[in-house]
Amino acid sequence: MEEELLIAFDSTQQALRAEMLLEYAEIDIDIFPTPKEITAGCAMSIQFFRGALGEVRKIIKEQDVEIRGIFRANKSDGYELIGEKEGLDE
């Protein structure tokens, strides 16, 4: 089973914008409440499969979407940050 990643946002406006852009790019996403382990200014997060990470990073960077970060589930303490807006070139 492919690993699921999650994008957290500081604003609902940016979350809705990202949702629209990712759906337009036909990336399989789910919207759900931001987990309590992730501190974010927005209660909405977007979940997607790791296989789409490159395309998601490209869209976020090119469209200048403001994000809190990209996270993956971690068995020990909830979630760990794997990418921030500034590190999307990786």
Side-chain angles (χ1 to χ4, degrees):
M1 184 171 189
E2 191 172 4
E3 182 180 25
E4 294 175 338
L5 303 177
L6 133 84
I7 307 170
F9 302 88
D10 286 324
S11 78
T12 302
Q13 178 184 12
Q14 292 298 309
L16 293 172
R17 187 165 166 252
E19 176 187 18
M20 177 198 65
L21 291 166
L22 296 174
E23 285 180 344
Y24 183 78
E26 298 183 354
I27 296 172
D28 186 21
I29 62 170
D30 283 321
I31 307 298
F32 68 96
T34 301
K36 65 180 181 190
E37 298 89 356
I38 299 174
T39 303
C42 175
M44 185 168 75
S45 294
I46 294 177
Q47 188 175 48
F48 63 96
F49 292 109
R50 180 175 272 288
L53 180 59
E55 192 171 357
V56 168
R57 283 181 161 161
K58 180 181 176 192
I59 290 167
I60 288 170
K61 183 173 184 209
E62 287 178 355
Q63 298 298 320
D64 201 28
V65 177
E66 296 175 22
I67 66 170
R68 168 63 57 135
I70 299 174
F71 298 82
R72 72 173 167 206
N74 179 328
K75 290 182 181 176
S76 63
D77 58 357
Y79 288 85
E80 74 178 297
L81 182 67
I82 64 164
E84 296 179 83
K85 175 72 175 188
E86 295 77 22
L88 292 178
D89 293 327
E90 300 171 3

PDB file of all heavy atoms in Angstrom, residues 52-83:
ATOM      1  N   ALA A  52       2.568  10.984  -5.978  1.00  0.00           N
ATOM      2  CA  ALA A  52       2.248  12.281  -6.575  1.00  0.00           C
ATOM      3  C   ALA A  52       3.068  13.417  -5.970  1.00  0.00           C
ATOM      4  O   ALA A  52       2.888  14.578  -6.344  1.00  0.00           O
ATOM      5  CB  ALA A  52       0.759  12.581  -6.410  1.00  0.00           C
ATOM      6  N   LEU A  53       4.004  13.111  -5.068  1.00  0.00           N
ATOM      7  CA  LEU A  53       4.743  14.155  -4.354  1.00  0.00           C
ATOM      8  C   LEU A  53       5.454  15.130  -5.283  1.00  0.00           C
ATOM      9  O   LEU A  53       5.389  16.343  -5.089  1.00  0.00           O
ATOM     10  CB  LEU A  53       5.747  13.523  -3.375  1.00  0.00           C
ATOM     11  CG  LEU A  53       6.593  14.502  -2.557  1.00  0.00           C
ATOM     12  CD1 LEU A  53       5.713  15.427  -1.727  1.00  0.00           C
ATOM     13  CD2 LEU A  53       7.562  13.738  -1.667  1.00  0.00           C
ATOM     14  N   GLY A  54       6.119  14.631  -6.305  1.00  0.00           N
ATOM     15  CA  GLY A  54       6.834  15.512  -7.235  1.00  0.00           C
ATOM     16  C   GLY A  54       5.902  16.496  -7.913  1.00  0.00           C
ATOM     17  O   GLY A  54       6.198  17.699  -7.988  1.00  0.00           O
ATOM     18  N   GLU A  55       4.781  16.011  -8.384  1.00  0.00           N
ATOM     19  CA  GLU A  55       3.819  16.880  -9.055  1.00  0.00           C
ATOM     20  C   GLU A  55       3.177  17.863  -8.072  1.00  0.00           C
ATOM     21  O   GLU A  55       2.979  19.032  -8.393  1.00  0.00           O
ATOM     22  CB  GLU A  55       2.750  16.041  -9.750  1.00  0.00           C
ATOM     23  CG  GLU A  55       1.896  16.859 -10.692  1.00  0.00           C
ATOM     24  CD  GLU A  55       0.975  16.003 -11.539  1.00  0.00           C
ATOM     25  OE1 GLU A  55       1.014  14.765 -11.448  1.00  0.00           O
ATOM     26  OE2 GLU A  55       0.194  16.604 -12.298  1.00  0.00           O
ATOM     27  N   VAL A  56       2.882  17.405  -6.860  1.00  0.00           N
ATOM     28  CA  VAL A  56       2.309  18.284  -5.835  1.00  0.00           C
ATOM     29  C   VAL A  56       3.295  19.402  -5.506  1.00  0.00           C
ATOM     30  O   VAL A  56       2.921  20.580  -5.468  1.00  0.00           O
ATOM     31  CB  VAL A  56       1.943  17.480  -4.566  1.00  0.00           C
ATOM     32  CG1 VAL A  56       1.634  18.410  -3.402  1.00  0.00           C
ATOM     33  CG2 VAL A  56       0.769  16.555  -4.842  1.00  0.00           C
ATOM     34  N   ARG A  57       4.553  19.061  -5.296  1.00  0.00           N
ATOM     35  CA  ARG A  57       5.577  20.078  -5.013  1.00  0.00           C
ATOM     36  C   ARG A  57       5.670  21.094  -6.148  1.00  0.00           C
ATOM     37  O   ARG A  57       5.784  22.293  -5.902  1.00  0.00           O
ATOM     38  CB  ARG A  57       6.939  19.432  -4.804  1.00  0.00           C
ATOM     39  CG  ARG A  57       7.113  18.794  -3.466  1.00  0.00           C
ATOM     40  CD  ARG A  57       8.494  18.206  -3.333  1.00  0.00           C
ATOM     41  NE  ARG A  57       8.797  17.996  -1.929  1.00  0.00           N
ATOM     42  CZ  ARG A  57       9.745  17.181  -1.504  1.00  0.00           C
ATOM     43  NH1 ARG A  57      10.466  16.499  -2.363  1.00  0.00           N
ATOM     44  NH2 ARG A  57       9.968  17.052  -0.211  1.00  0.00           N
ATOM     45  N   LYS A  58       5.641  20.610  -7.372  1.00  0.00           N
ATOM     46  CA  LYS A  58       5.741  21.496  -8.540  1.00  0.00           C
ATOM     47  C   LYS A  58       4.573  22.484  -8.570  1.00  0.00           C
ATOM     48  O   LYS A  58       4.768  23.689  -8.778  1.00  0.00           O
ATOM     49  CB  LYS A  58       5.767  20.654  -9.812  1.00  0.00           C
ATOM     50  CG  LYS A  58       5.863  21.460 -11.077  1.00  0.00           C
ATOM     51  CD  LYS A  58       5.868  20.569 -12.295  1.00  0.00           C
ATOM     52  CE  LYS A  58       5.862  21.439 -13.542  1.00  0.00           C
ATOM     53  NZ  LYS A  58       5.588  20.680 -14.737  1.00  0.00           N
ATOM     54  N   ILE A  59       3.380  21.996  -8.365  1.00  0.00           N
ATOM     55  CA  ILE A  59       2.189  22.858  -8.393  1.00  0.00           C
ATOM     56  C   ILE A  59       2.242  23.890  -7.268  1.00  0.00           C
ATOM     57  O   ILE A  59       1.990  25.075  -7.482  1.00  0.00           O
ATOM     58  CB  ILE A  59       0.903  22.011  -8.314  1.00  0.00           C
ATOM     59  CG1 ILE A  59       0.726  21.228  -9.617  1.00  0.00           C
ATOM     60  CG2 ILE A  59      -0.323  22.884  -8.029  1.00  0.00           C
ATOM     61  CD1 ILE A  59      -0.323  20.139  -9.565  1.00  0.00           C
ATOM     62  N   ILE A  60       2.594  23.453  -6.061  1.00  0.00           N
ATOM     63  CA  ILE A  60       2.664  24.369  -4.923  1.00  0.00           C
ATOM     64  C   ILE A  60       3.681  25.478  -5.188  1.00  0.00           C
ATOM     65  O   ILE A  60       3.428  26.650  -4.924  1.00  0.00           O
ATOM     66  CB  ILE A  60       3.015  23.597  -3.630  1.00  0.00           C
ATOM     67  CG1 ILE A  60       1.804  22.760  -3.197  1.00  0.00           C
ATOM     68  CG2 ILE A  60       3.440  24.541  -2.508  1.00  0.00           C
ATOM     69  CD1 ILE A  60       2.104  21.789  -2.086  1.00  0.00           C
ATOM     70  N   LYS A  61       4.823  25.092  -5.735  1.00  0.00           N
ATOM     71  CA  LYS A  61       5.877  26.080  -5.996  1.00  0.00           C
ATOM     72  C   LYS A  61       5.483  27.019  -7.144  1.00  0.00           C
ATOM     73  O   LYS A  61       5.575  28.239  -7.001  1.00  0.00           O
ATOM     74  CB  LYS A  61       7.180  25.367  -6.337  1.00  0.00           C
ATOM     75  CG  LYS A  61       8.308  26.339  -6.539  1.00  0.00           C
ATOM     76  CD  LYS A  61       9.622  25.649  -6.717  1.00  0.00           C
ATOM     77  CE  LYS A  61      10.636  26.756  -6.798  1.00  0.00           C
ATOM     78  NZ  LYS A  61      11.764  26.547  -7.519  1.00  0.00           N
ATOM     79  N   GLU A  62       5.056  26.467  -8.262  1.00  0.00           N
ATOM     80  CA  GLU A  62       4.733  27.290  -9.429  1.00  0.00           C
ATOM     81  C   GLU A  62       3.553  28.223  -9.175  1.00  0.00           C
ATOM     82  O   GLU A  62       3.515  29.332  -9.696  1.00  0.00           O
ATOM     83  CB  GLU A  62       4.446  26.410 -10.642  1.00  0.00           C
ATOM     84  CG  GLU A  62       5.681  25.759 -11.221  1.00  0.00           C
ATOM     85  CD  GLU A  62       5.381  24.862 -12.398  1.00  0.00           C
ATOM     86  OE1 GLU A  62       4.197  24.649 -12.741  1.00  0.00           O
ATOM     87  OE2 GLU A  62       6.357  24.345 -12.984  1.00  0.00           O
ATOM     88  N   GLN A  63       2.584  27.763  -8.405  1.00  0.00           N
ATOM     89  CA  GLN A  63       1.389  28.563  -8.147  1.00  0.00           C
ATOM     90  C   GLN A  63       1.508  29.385  -6.858  1.00  0.00           C
ATOM     91  O   GLN A  63       0.563  30.055  -6.462  1.00  0.00           O
ATOM     92  CB  GLN A  63       0.151  27.661  -8.088  1.00  0.00           C
ATOM     93  CG  GLN A  63      -0.120  26.932  -9.386  1.00  0.00           C
ATOM     94  CD  GLN A  63      -0.402  27.888 -10.534  1.00  0.00           C
ATOM     95  OE1 GLN A  63      -1.072  28.896 -10.376  1.00  0.00           O
ATOM     96  NE2 GLN A  63       0.134  27.561 -11.708  1.00  0.00           N
ATOM     97  N   ASP A  64       2.668  29.301  -6.207  1.00  0.00           N
ATOM     98  CA  ASP A  64       2.948  30.063  -4.987  1.00  0.00           C
ATOM     99  C   ASP A  64       1.878  29.864  -3.914  1.00  0.00           C
ATOM    100  O   ASP A  64       1.381  30.814  -3.320  1.00  0.00           O
ATOM    101  CB  ASP A  64       3.121  31.545  -5.320  1.00  0.00           C
ATOM    102  CG  ASP A  64       3.884  32.286  -4.240  1.00  0.00           C
ATOM    103  OD1 ASP A  64       4.705  31.649  -3.548  1.00  0.00           O
ATOM    104  OD2 ASP A  64       3.638  33.490  -4.063  1.00  0.00           O
ATOM    105  N   VAL A  65       1.532  28.596  -3.682  1.00  0.00           N
ATOM    106  CA  VAL A  65       0.565  28.254  -2.634  1.00  0.00           C
ATOM    107  C   VAL A  65       1.295  28.282  -1.292  1.00  0.00           C
ATOM    108  O   VAL A  65       2.367  27.698  -1.153  1.00  0.00           O
ATOM    109  CB  VAL A  65      -0.047  26.852  -2.871  1.00  0.00           C
ATOM    110  CG1 VAL A  65      -0.998  26.479  -1.749  1.00  0.00           C
ATOM    111  CG2 VAL A  65      -0.747  26.800  -4.219  1.00  0.00           C
ATOM    112  N   GLU A  66       0.726  28.975  -0.314  1.00  0.00           N
ATOM    113  CA  GLU A  66       1.334  29.063   1.011  1.00  0.00           C
ATOM    114  C   GLU A  66       0.898  27.854   1.847  1.00  0.00           C
ATOM    115  O   GLU A  66      -0.287  27.652   2.075  1.00  0.00           O
ATOM    116  CB  GLU A  66       0.904  30.355   1.691  1.00  0.00           C
ATOM    117  CG  GLU A  66       1.392  31.582   0.965  1.00  0.00           C
ATOM    118  CD  GLU A  66       0.869  32.866   1.560  1.00  0.00           C
ATOM    119  OE1 GLU A  66       0.480  32.866   2.745  1.00  0.00           O
ATOM    120  OE2 GLU A  66       0.846  33.869   0.836  1.00  0.00           O
ATOM    121  N   ILE A  67       1.889  27.080   2.280  1.00  0.00           N
ATOM    122  CA  ILE A  67       1.603  25.888   3.079  1.00  0.00           C
ATOM    123  C   ILE A  67       2.354  25.959   4.406  1.00  0.00           C
ATOM    124  O   ILE A  67       3.360  26.662   4.538  1.00  0.00           O
ATOM    125  CB  ILE A  67       1.983  24.590   2.343  1.00  0.00           C
ATOM    126  CG1 ILE A  67       3.494  24.490   2.125  1.00  0.00           C
ATOM    127  CG2 ILE A  67       1.227  24.461   1.032  1.00  0.00           C
ATOM    128  CD1 ILE A  67       3.963  23.140   1.630  1.00  0.00           C
ATOM    129  N   ARG A  68       1.874  25.211   5.379  1.00  0.00           N
ATOM    130  CA  ARG A  68       2.596  25.037   6.649  1.00  0.00           C
ATOM    131  C   ARG A  68       3.695  24.009   6.425  1.00  0.00           C
ATOM    132  O   ARG A  68       4.802  24.138   6.903  1.00  0.00           O
ATOM    133  CB  ARG A  68       1.619  24.566   7.725  1.00  0.00           C
ATOM    134  CG  ARG A  68       2.228  24.078   9.018  1.00  0.00           C
ATOM    135  CD  ARG A  68       2.993  25.113   9.792  1.00  0.00           C
ATOM    136  NE  ARG A  68       2.173  26.254  10.111  1.00  0.00           N
ATOM    137  CZ  ARG A  68       2.102  26.846  11.256  1.00  0.00           C
ATOM    138  NH1 ARG A  68       2.823  26.384  12.263  1.00  0.00           N
ATOM    139  NH2 ARG A  68       1.364  27.910  11.441  1.00  0.00           N
ATOM    140  N   GLY A  69       3.360  22.930   5.699  1.00  0.00           N
ATOM    141  CA  GLY A  69       4.344  21.902   5.407  1.00  0.00           C
ATOM    142  C   GLY A  69       3.688  20.653   4.859  1.00  0.00           C
ATOM    143  O   GLY A  69       2.469  20.537   4.813  1.00  0.00           O
ATOM    144  N   ILE A  70       4.532  19.738   4.418  1.00  0.00           N
ATOM    145  CA  ILE A  70       4.089  18.425   3.961  1.00  0.00           C
ATOM    146  C   ILE A  70       4.558  17.429   5.022  1.00  0.00           C
ATOM    147  O   ILE A  70       5.720  17.453   5.439  1.00  0.00           O
ATOM    148  CB  ILE A  70       4.672  18.078   2.578  1.00  0.00           C
ATOM    149  CG1 ILE A  70       4.196  19.110   1.543  1.00  0.00           C
ATOM    150  CG2 ILE A  70       4.263  16.661   2.164  1.00  0.00           C
ATOM    151  CD1 ILE A  70       4.814  18.949   0.167  1.00  0.00           C
ATOM    152  N   PHE A  71       3.658  16.557   5.450  1.00  0.00           N
ATOM    153  CA  PHE A  71       3.922  15.648   6.558  1.00  0.00           C
ATOM    154  C   PHE A  71       3.646  14.204   6.160  1.00  0.00           C
ATOM    155  O   PHE A  71       2.875  13.950   5.240  1.00  0.00           O
ATOM    156  CB  PHE A  71       3.017  15.996   7.746  1.00  0.00           C
ATOM    157  CG  PHE A  71       3.241  17.373   8.295  1.00  0.00           C
ATOM    158  CD1 PHE A  71       2.648  18.480   7.705  1.00  0.00           C
ATOM    159  CD2 PHE A  71       4.039  17.563   9.410  1.00  0.00           C
ATOM    160  CE1 PHE A  71       2.848  19.760   8.223  1.00  0.00           C
ATOM    161  CE2 PHE A  71       4.240  18.829   9.933  1.00  0.00           C
ATOM    162  CZ  PHE A  71       3.648  19.931   9.334  1.00  0.00           C
ATOM    163  N   ARG A  72       4.257  13.286   6.907  1.00  0.00           N
ATOM    164  CA  ARG A  72       3.931  11.866   6.774  1.00  0.00           C
ATOM    165  C   ARG A  72       3.659  11.320   8.161  1.00  0.00           C
ATOM    166  O   ARG A  72       4.187  11.819   9.160  1.00  0.00           O
ATOM    167  CB  ARG A  72       5.032  11.100   6.079  1.00  0.00           C
ATOM    168  CG  ARG A  72       6.262  10.913   6.897  1.00  0.00           C
ATOM    169  CD  ARG A  72       7.240   9.996   6.185  1.00  0.00           C
ATOM    170  NE  ARG A  72       8.525  10.106   6.862  1.00  0.00           N
ATOM    171  CZ  ARG A  72       9.663   9.876   6.277  1.00  0.00           C
ATOM    172  NH1 ARG A  72       9.717   9.513   5.014  1.00  0.00           N
ATOM    173  NH2 ARG A  72      10.789   9.977   6.945  1.00  0.00           N
ATOM    174  N   ALA A  73       2.844  10.284   8.214  1.00  0.00           N
ATOM    175  CA  ALA A  73       2.514   9.654   9.494  1.00  0.00           C
ATOM    176  C   ALA A  73       3.764   8.996  10.055  1.00  0.00           C
ATOM    177  O   ALA A  73       4.569   8.428   9.325  1.00  0.00           O
ATOM    178  CB  ALA A  73       1.400   8.632   9.321  1.00  0.00           C
ATOM    179  N   ASN A  74       3.896   9.074  11.363  1.00  0.00           N
ATOM    180  CA  ASN A  74       5.038   8.521  12.061  1.00  0.00           C
ATOM    181  C   ASN A  74       4.489   7.718  13.233  1.00  0.00           C
ATOM    182  O   ASN A  74       3.758   8.251  14.054  1.00  0.00           O
ATOM    183  CB  ASN A  74       5.919   9.681  12.537  1.00  0.00           C
ATOM    184  CG  ASN A  74       7.124   9.239  13.298  1.00  0.00           C
ATOM    185  OD1 ASN A  74       7.103   8.230  13.998  1.00  0.00           O
ATOM    186  ND2 ASN A  74       8.177  10.010  13.188  1.00  0.00           N
ATOM    187  N   LYS A  75       4.808   6.461  13.322  1.00  0.00           N
ATOM    188  CA  LYS A  75       4.240   5.596  14.362  1.00  0.00           C
ATOM    189  C   LYS A  75       4.576   6.061  15.777  1.00  0.00           C
ATOM    190  O   LYS A  75       3.796   5.875  16.693  1.00  0.00           O
ATOM    191  CB  LYS A  75       4.702   4.158  14.162  1.00  0.00           C
ATOM    192  CG  LYS A  75       4.094   3.517  12.956  1.00  0.00           C
ATOM    193  CD  LYS A  75       4.537   2.084  12.823  1.00  0.00           C
ATOM    194  CE  LYS A  75       3.923   1.485  11.576  1.00  0.00           C
ATOM    195  NZ  LYS A  75       4.367   0.132  11.328  1.00  0.00           N
ATOM    196  N   SER A  76       5.734   6.675  15.963  1.00  0.00           N
ATOM    197  CA  SER A  76       6.149   7.024  17.320  1.00  0.00           C
ATOM    198  C   SER A  76       5.474   8.285  17.872  1.00  0.00           C
ATOM    199  O   SER A  76       5.059   8.310  19.018  1.00  0.00           O
ATOM    200  CB  SER A  76       7.667   7.186  17.394  1.00  0.00           C
ATOM    201  OG  SER A  76       8.090   8.254  16.574  1.00  0.00           O
ATOM    202  N   ASP A  77       5.367   9.350  17.068  1.00  0.00           N
ATOM    203  CA  ASP A  77       4.818  10.580  17.630  1.00  0.00           C
ATOM    204  C   ASP A  77       3.840  11.304  16.707  1.00  0.00           C
ATOM    205  O   ASP A  77       3.739  12.522  16.740  1.00  0.00           O
ATOM    206  CB  ASP A  77       5.934  11.520  18.077  1.00  0.00           C
ATOM    207  CG  ASP A  77       6.878  11.890  16.948  1.00  0.00           C
ATOM    208  OD1 ASP A  77       6.714  11.382  15.834  1.00  0.00           O
ATOM    209  OD2 ASP A  77       7.802  12.685  17.195  1.00  0.00           O
ATOM    210  N   GLY A  78       3.120  10.600  15.909  1.00  0.00           N
ATOM    211  CA  GLY A  78       2.081  11.214  15.086  1.00  0.00           C
ATOM    212  C   GLY A  78       2.512  11.532  13.669  1.00  0.00           C
ATOM    213  O   GLY A  78       2.348  10.716  12.783  1.00  0.00           O
ATOM    214  N   TYR A  79       3.105  12.715  13.457  1.00  0.00           N
ATOM    215  CA  TYR A  79       3.476  13.153  12.112  1.00  0.00           C
ATOM    216  C   TYR A  79       4.849  13.803  12.131  1.00  0.00           C
ATOM    217  O   TYR A  79       5.245  14.423  13.106  1.00  0.00           O
ATOM    218  CB  TYR A  79       2.452  14.164  11.587  1.00  0.00           C
ATOM    219  CG  TYR A  79       1.137  13.533  11.244  1.00  0.00           C
ATOM    220  CD1 TYR A  79       0.169  13.333  12.212  1.00  0.00           C
ATOM    221  CD2 TYR A  79       0.863  13.111   9.952  1.00  0.00           C
ATOM    222  CE1 TYR A  79      -1.040  12.732  11.906  1.00  0.00           C
ATOM    223  CE2 TYR A  79      -0.345  12.512   9.634  1.00  0.00           C
ATOM    224  CZ  TYR A  79      -1.286  12.325  10.613  1.00  0.00           C
ATOM    225  OH  TYR A  79      -2.476  11.726  10.312  1.00  0.00           O
ATOM    226  N   GLU A  80       5.558  13.658  11.010  1.00  0.00           N
ATOM    227  CA  GLU A  80       6.844  14.335  10.883  1.00  0.00           C
ATOM    228  C   GLU A  80       6.867  15.152   9.596  1.00  0.00           C
ATOM    229  O   GLU A  80       6.329  14.740   8.570  1.00  0.00           O
ATOM    230  CB  GLU A  80       8.004  13.358  10.946  1.00  0.00           C
ATOM    231  CG  GLU A  80       8.201  12.512   9.718  1.00  0.00           C
ATOM    232  CD  GLU A  80       9.407  11.589   9.841  1.00  0.00           C
ATOM    233  OE1 GLU A  80      10.544  12.082   9.956  1.00  0.00           O
ATOM    234  OE2 GLU A  80       9.202  10.374   9.803  1.00  0.00           O
ATOM    235  N   LEU A  81       7.492  16.305   9.687  1.00  0.00           N
ATOM    236  CA  LEU A  81       7.611  17.226   8.560  1.00  0.00           C
ATOM    237  C   LEU A  81       8.602  16.662   7.556  1.00  0.00           C
ATOM    238  O   LEU A  81       9.705  16.288   7.919  1.00  0.00           O
ATOM    239  CB  LEU A  81       8.090  18.585   9.076  1.00  0.00           C
ATOM    240  CG  LEU A  81       8.237  19.697   8.072  1.00  0.00           C
ATOM    241  CD1 LEU A  81       6.869  20.103   7.527  1.00  0.00           C
ATOM    242  CD2 LEU A  81       8.906  20.901   8.728  1.00  0.00           C
ATOM    243  N   ILE A  82       8.210  16.601   6.280  1.00  0.00           N
ATOM    244  CA  ILE A  82       9.144  16.144   5.249  1.00  0.00           C
ATOM    245  C   ILE A  82       9.428  17.243   4.231  1.00  0.00           C
ATOM    246  O   ILE A  82      10.308  17.098   3.409  1.00  0.00           O
ATOM    247  CB  ILE A  82       8.656  14.869   4.527  1.00  0.00           C
ATOM    248  CG1 ILE A  82       7.378  15.123   3.754  1.00  0.00           C
ATOM    249  CG2 ILE A  82       8.514  13.719   5.490  1.00  0.00           C
ATOM    250  CD1 ILE A  82       7.081  14.038   2.736  1.00  0.00           C
ATOM    251  N   GLY A  83       8.662  18.331   4.253  1.00  0.00           N
ATOM    252  CA  GLY A  83       8.914  19.408   3.305  1.00  0.00           C
ATOM    253  C   GLY A  83       8.173  20.672   3.674  1.00  0.00           C
ATOM    254  O   GLY A  83       7.032  20.625   4.099  1.00  0.00           O
TER     255      GLY A  83
END
